[in-house]
């Protein structure tokens, strides 16, 4: 199953992308603004694939949300999105094709076999859907990292999670355009944090991937500790684990999920019809729990630390 990863690298994106290359077949990376601006996100994606020696094509996409501007997450990931390590610029260049067009072209090339893994704001996917509403008929599976299914978000709007909150209109287009998708939300990521000490040991390994990740994640690891989080939160890595190994999911619920677009306090919230009161068909398989040992094994192997 070829993977197409739409991403805003971002430190946890990087771990997800390392996992995809370690355990899967990556057709492309399509890049969007989000954690940091498109320029930095694209450079990070190119640097990552160059560092691991992968020939994965990288496509630049949306530089801004569809409708309203949004704040980035550079305060978490570093101004450059990769921990401000001052790494040497990659020699690798992005392909000329826009991410949304590449997404559509690859959905034809891999019709019926492509797994789309969306680990950033959904702007590129929304653009692709508006260009071709039949996109979902050619996609085998869509896995989205986003949302907070009981309202415990991670942005300045309490119930909103970053990926959805950065571009709520795009999320609305995707959540109404795809009849079904797997949703790995922020709250699940908090329940599946990596123990700080164990993670420090993984990134202390000699493997070049561990070395690179140790450098780019230093700031985020410190941020996680300072914020009193239960461990290293790697939301995108969790979504990638679900994409790579559907059987890793130990608890999930199928429900209808919608996106709030207008609330002064709630714009970007993912509203779940938990009691099925509205009668709308479930569009999301909400992942609630995974096999943590298996999740950690996939992440460790991606860093080269068995
Ligand atoms: O809320 C977590 C999500 O926002 C992750 O994808 C992280 O990379 C940021 O983009
Ligand atoms: Ca991300």
């Amino acid at each position: 199953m070829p993977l197409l990863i739409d991403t805003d690298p971002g430190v946890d994106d990087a771990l997800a992308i390392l996992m995809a290359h370690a355990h899967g077949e990556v057709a492309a990376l399509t890049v969007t603004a989000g954690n940091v601006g498109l320029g930095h996100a694209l450079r990070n994606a190119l640097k990552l694939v160059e560092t691991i020696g992968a020939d994965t094509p990288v496509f630049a996409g949306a530089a801004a949300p569809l409708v309203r501007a949004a704040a980035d997450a550079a305060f978490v990931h570093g101004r450059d999105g990769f921990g401000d390590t001052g790494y040497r610029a990659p020699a690798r260049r992005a392909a000329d094709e826009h991410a949304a067009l590449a997404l559509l072209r690859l959905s034809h090339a891999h019709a019926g076999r492509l797994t789309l893994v969306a680990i950033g704001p959904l702007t590129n996917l929304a653009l692709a859907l508006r260009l071709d509403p039949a996109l979902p008929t050619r996609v085998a599976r869509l896995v989205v990292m986003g949302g907070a299914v009981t309202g415990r978000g991670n942005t300045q709007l309490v119930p909103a999670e970053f990926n959805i909150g950065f571009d709520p209109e795009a999320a609305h287009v995707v959540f109404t355009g795809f009849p079904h998708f797997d949703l790995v939300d922020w709250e699940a990521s908090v329940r599946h944090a990596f123990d700080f000490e164990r993670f420090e040991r993984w990134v202390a390994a000699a493997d070049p991937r561990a070395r690179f990740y140790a450098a780019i994640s230093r700031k985020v690891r410190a941020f996680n500790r300072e914020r009193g989080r239960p461990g290293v939160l790697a939301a995108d890595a969790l979504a990638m684990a679900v994409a790579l190994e559907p059987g890793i999911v130990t608890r999930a619920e199928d429900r209808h999920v919608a996106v709030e677009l207008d609330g002064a306090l709630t714009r970007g919230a993912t509203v779940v019809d938990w009691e099925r009161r509205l009668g709308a068909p479930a569009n999301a398989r909400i992942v609630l729990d995974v096999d943590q040992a298996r999740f950690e094994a996939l992440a460790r192997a991606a860093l080269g630390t068995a």
Side-chain angles (χ1 to χ4, degrees):
M1 290 282 254
L3 300 165
L4 192 155
I5 305 167
D6 192 72
T7 176
D8 62 334
V11 173
D12 62 322
D13 302 70
L15 183 53
I17 293 165
L18 289 175
M19 289 166 64
H21 283 88
H23 304 292
E25 173 199 347
V26 183
L29 300 185
T30 52
V31 179
T32 179
N35 283 318
V36 286
L38 180 62
H40 279 306
L42 184 64
R43 191 167 171 273
N44 293 341
L46 291 165
K47 182 66 180 180
L48 184 60
V49 295
E50 184 174 272
T51 300
I52 60 177
D55 60 0
T56 308
V58 178
F59 300 88
L66 293 183
V67 179
R68 284 159 55 174
D72 66 24
F75 71 99
V76 177
H77 298 264
R79 284 186 314 282
D80 73 352
F82 263 13
D84 297 324
T85 62
Y87 65 68
R88 183 164 11 95
R92 191 75 63 88
R93 289 284 168 264
D96 290 338
E97 191 178 21
H98 189 281
L101 298 176
L103 219 161
L104 293 176
R105 176 174 55 79
L106 291 166
S107 75
H108 284 284
H110 301 286
R113 297 178 53 247
L114 199 63
T115 295
L116 272 189
V117 191
I119 54 175
L122 294 170
T123 316
N124 289 335
L125 266 70
L127 291 170
L129 267 171
R130 282 296 188 252
L131 285 167
D132 180 1
L135 170 63
T137 65
R138 299 188 298 274
V139 171
R141 191 169 166 230
L142 170 63
V143 180
V144 174
M145 191 283 129
V149 295
T150 67
R152 302 184 67 141
N154 60 5
T155 70
Q156 289 310 306
L157 292 178
V158 167
E161 172 279 332
F162 181 81
N163 286 341
I164 308 302
F166 187 86
D167 194 343
E169 282 76 14
H172 170 78
V173 170
V174 174
F175 283 24
T176 53
F178 273 84
H180 52 84
F181 53 91
D182 287 352
L183 186 65
V184 180
D185 82 324
W186 176 250
E187 297 165 17
S189 307
V190 174
R191 288 194 298 274
H192 292 85
F194 296 135
D195 172 79
F196 283 119
E197 305 321 321
R198 216 167 26 248
F199 197 81
E200 296 294 329
R201 286 197 298 276
W202 300 350
V203 297
D207 187 290
R209 292 167 293 177
R211 304 284 82 251
F212 182 77
Y213 200 78
I216 68 169
S217 65
R218 197 172 317 283
K219 279 196 169 183
V220 173
R221 283 180 281 133
F223 178 86
N224 273 287
R225 286 180 186 270
E226 286 151 20
R227 282 291 177 97
R229 286 176 167 170
V232 175
L233 304 186
D236 294 339
L238 183 62
M240 186 57 70
V242 171
L244 289 165
E245 277 192 20
I248 201 171
V249 176
T250 54
R251 189 163 66 98
E253 297 273 357
D254 293 337
R255 289 294 189 282
H256 184 271
V257 185
V259 180
E260 172 57 46
L261 302 179
D262 302 311
L265 299 175
T266 57
R267 173 172 161 80
T270 41
V271 181
V272 181
D273 183 4
W274 286 110
E275 295 169 4
R276 299 188 179 97
R277 291 213 300 272
L278 304 185
N283 53 349
R285 176 172 175 263
I286 300 170
V287 173
L288 295 166
D289 283 316
V290 306
D291 177 333
Q292 182 75 11
R294 191 68 200 123
F295 174 34
E296 298 196 1
L298 289 169
R300 274 203 324 271
L303 294 165
T305 59

